[in-house]
Amino acid sequence: MDIFRTIRRAAFLLLPVLAALLVLPACAPDAPGGGMLHAVEDSGLPDEGDTYGATVLDWNGDELPDLLVSRHADRAVLYLNRGGLRFAAEPLPSGLPDRQPDHHGSAGCDFDRDGDWDAFVGVGSDSGYGEGVNQIWVRTPAGWRLDARAGHDLPGDPVGRGRGAVWADLGGGPEPELLVFNYQSPPRLLSPTDQGWVDLGGWLPWAPPVPQDRPGGRIPGPRERARSPWIHNGATADLDGDGRCDLLALGRPGWAGLLLNTGRGFAEATERSGLGPAVWPLVPHHAAAGDLDGDGDPDLVLCGPAAGLQGAAAEGPPVLWINESVPGRPRFRPLPVPSAAGARAWASALADLDNDGVNDLLLVQHPEADGDRPLLILQGAAGAAFSDVTALWGSPGEPGAAAESVIAADFDLDGDLDLLLLAGGDYRTPVSRPAGLILAENRTSGRGLTLELAATASPPHGLGAVVTLEGDPPQVVRQQATVHNVSSSILPVHFGIGDRAGPFRVRVEWPAGSATVHEIPHAGAAFRLHEDRPEPEPIAGRSP
């Protein structure tokens, strides 16, 4: 009996390894140079300088994804996509402010639903001593300008030390909500209306101990603001499967946690979800949400140095949290990643780089040694099994680069995900390290689908939509949500197809209640799916 039990246990332990080995031949590097990811040497992006996140948005309306790059303590920089993974710096329009002190993070969204992208731009308030004011930039037929509806005391927020924001469908209506992240100052939850911005801070289950700023009144000082609940990072997704977008908030210990959307605000659910030890009293630096085990619901990746109740740092390897929730009853189970992932993962991203239908895990390392790789890549396999393929696939960035974040997006609209590594984040270190923006082209042999959502009755970009790739092999489910990593982006939904020829059936369940079925003729391309009609619209980029 003991012998059979030993054999069964050995077989069980070997299953994840065998699963990973089975998928490697289909994803082996087949590009010249022996790797799947190749640095674009003449991308037009800078190879030096500070960064503080980048927002992906279509700035000029030519259907190509552009970059609005934050630069700590300096003005944002715009890089327009010229096609073929080539970018060009472009001066910001004269109608926008010519100086943004302590600029931290931005967030693109067509929040006014006019068909053009807009952007929130966060300002850090000069380390809490100044009166830096956040900005809302809107694109109009006459060009970009400041939003006239942005009041001084709401999105401007001179009290807050801006750390970016996320757009999400939190209220269940056609307008998106804006959650402004602040460091050592109260967060802001806002909604745009035709009359101006509405403060929805009462939805959050925290009573801010610091009075809100009032025009003409005294602005609380940094020490006073630091006693407030504050959020510096987070993830938005329907985490408990009830059809409403929830929030995993990371910030000051004691206020970080899982907040479930009740339809009338948010309810604290950290302890009963099983996430309690992970986010309190130790708070991770970054969270990413996405499907890790192939069951269609969003799992979580938590990583980064954690701040304890006394502010002490506690480093540890990233931990995956597998979602086992049922509607209204959140439950997560921890699953440590392989030891090869290292213990200094600063941030993460989930992306199907090899187009096999399973998300891979990208881990950004905050370096402590010059030999540290800035980005580790773990290939995903069935059952949330991962194997380190950094050397096999190739990884952008020089060893020792001070990487802060990574974006996986289809910058050339060919159906696979390229990588942008932001490697200028460690602006405080006196040691000279490689910096700037590093773009890597994906040359996988597998094909994929890039699907942009165009809403009419639902929130812009289909925020909150559930998108399903139907057929055999088993269907793959994705949620349309904002990806946050210093700055935030609303990226198209992506499906890896492998070597399937098509056509493909994609079903979209829109937040407004309707469902559409679209037939995609082939992979290796980008399409726009409309809420009010089934015909997919090809996207190839065009003159603005």
Side-chain angles (χ1 to χ4, degrees):
M1 293 292 291
D2 291 340
I3 295 176
F4 289 123
R5 186 180 298 112
T6 301
I7 294 174
R8 284 198 303 269
R9 179 171 179 176
F12 176 78
L13 294 174
L14 284 173
L15 281 176
V17 178
L18 293 173
L21 290 174
L22 287 174
V23 299
L24 281 176
C27 309
D30 55 339
M36 192 173 78
L37 300 170
H38 287 243
V40 181
E41 300 295 339
D42 55 348
S43 67
L45 298 173
D47 57 4
E48 61 181 15
D50 294 341
T51 57
Y52 202 92
T55 296
V56 179
L57 76 171
D58 183 4
W59 178 271
N60 58 354
D62 66 354
E63 298 188 331
L64 293 171
D66 306 308
L67 293 170
L68 181 63
V69 181
S70 297
R71 298 174 66 198
H72 183 85
D74 205 345
R75 195 180 192 207
V77 180
L78 172 65
Y79 295 94
L80 294 183
N81 191 335
R82 299 304 189 187
L85 296 177
R86 304 295 185 269
F87 289 80
E90 182 80 6
L92 290 173
S94 58
L96 299 176
D98 59 1
R99 184 173 180 267
Q100 294 130 27
D102 209 16
H103 183 189
H104 289 81
S106 53
C109 178
D110 179 18
F111 77 90
D112 56 6
R113 304 171 57 81
D114 64 353
D116 296 319
W117 284 80
D118 311 298
F120 167 89
V121 178
V123 178
S125 188
D126 193 18
S127 298
Y129 289 91
E131 295 185 25
V133 177
N134 298 327
Q135 298 151 15
I136 303 289
W137 297 356
V138 294
R139 182 167 171 245
T140 71
W144 283 83
R145 61 172 176 78
L146 283 175
D147 181 20
R149 300 176 303 173
H152 178 267
D153 60 335
L154 287 179
D157 192 13
V159 175
R161 299 178 64 180
R163 289 300 185 272
V166 293
W167 298 92
D169 174 26
L170 301 175
E175 309 296 339
E177 283 71 44
L178 176 65
L179 177 64
V180 179
F181 295 123
N182 283 326
Y183 176 68
Q184 292 189 341
S185 46
R188 291 292 181 100
L189 180 58
L190 310 171
S191 177
T193 70
D194 291 338
Q195 290 74 39
W197 292 82
V198 176
D199 188 349
L200 302 178
W203 288 9
L204 299 173
W206 307 315
V210 173
Q212 301 298 307
D213 173 61
R214 291 177 175 82
R218 183 184 68 86
I219 296 179
R223 292 181 182 274
E224 190 175 356
R225 295 182 225 176
R227 296 197 298 270
S228 301
W230 46 268
I231 306 173
H232 69 263
N233 211 321
T236 54
D238 179 10
L239 296 173
D240 64 347
D242 65 354
R244 292 187 289 261
C245 184
D246 307 304
L247 168 65
L248 180 66
L250 304 180
R252 181 183 175 186
W255 279 274
L258 175 61
L259 306 183
L260 291 186
N261 191 336
T262 67
R264 300 176 301 278
F266 289 90
E268 227 285 337
T270 310
E271 292 295 336
R272 61 189 175 99
S273 71
L275 289 171
V279 296
W280 192 90
L282 299 178
V283 181
H285 177 265
H286 182 257
D291 189 9
L292 295 171
D293 54 1
D295 63 357
D297 54 24
D299 308 298
L300 296 171
V301 182
L302 302 182
C303 62
L309 288 175
Q310 304 302 319
E315 290 192 358
V319 178
L320 315 180
W321 288 82
I322 302 303
N323 194 336
E324 298 179 342
S325 305
V326 296
R329 297 175 58 189
R331 190 67 189 173
F332 289 84
R333 171 176 54 87
L335 181 67
V337 299
S339 58
R344 289 184 299 276
W346 181 254
S348 63
L350 294 167
D352 184 2
L353 293 180
D354 54 353
N355 283 333
D356 66 349
V358 180
N359 276 325
D360 307 305
L361 177 58
L362 315 178
L363 296 173
V364 178
Q365 290 206 114
H366 208 260
E368 291 189 357
D370 288 339
D372 288 343
R373 296 296 304 179
L375 183 66
L376 298 179
I377 304 176
L378 277 65
Q379 182 187 31
F386 292 89
S387 54
D388 189 350
V389 291
T390 307
L392 180 65
W393 288 4
S395 178
E398 297 295 326
E404 65 176 17
S405 58
V406 64
I407 299 173
D410 187 2
F411 288 109
D412 51 4
L413 303 179
D414 64 352
D416 54 43
L417 298 175
D418 309 297
L419 290 185
L420 177 70
L421 183 69
L422 288 91
D426 199 3
Y427 57 87
R428 288 179 294 269
T429 179
V431 180
S432 176
R433 296 182 184 274
L437 306 173
I438 303 161
L439 183 63
E441 179 185 7
N442 191 344
R443 299 182 186 175
T444 178
S445 59
R447 294 177 297 176
L449 286 172
T450 297
L451 303 176
E452 179 183 300
L453 303 186
T456 51
S458 294
H461 314 290
L463 280 170
V466 177
V467 187
T468 303
L469 175 66
E470 299 180 339
D472 185 29
Q475 62 185 17
V476 180
V477 181
R478 300 279 188 253
Q479 285 189 20
Q480 176 66 306
T482 301
V483 176
H484 183 263
N485 200 332
V486 185
S487 289
S488 65
S489 300
I490 303 173
L491 301 174
V493 175
H494 174 262
F495 291 102
I497 302 299
D499 58 358
R500 296 164 60 191
F504 308 96
R505 283 172 55 89
V506 174
R507 176 182 174 86
V508 183
E509 297 174 52
W510 299 88
S514 66
T516 53
V517 177
H518 309 265
E519 184 170 291
I520 313 298
H522 58 84
F527 297 88
R528 183 176 294 111
L529 306 184
H530 293 266
E531 186 176 10
D532 57 355
R533 59 182 185 271
E535 298 81 14
E537 176 187 355
I539 304 175
R542 55 181 171 79
S543 298

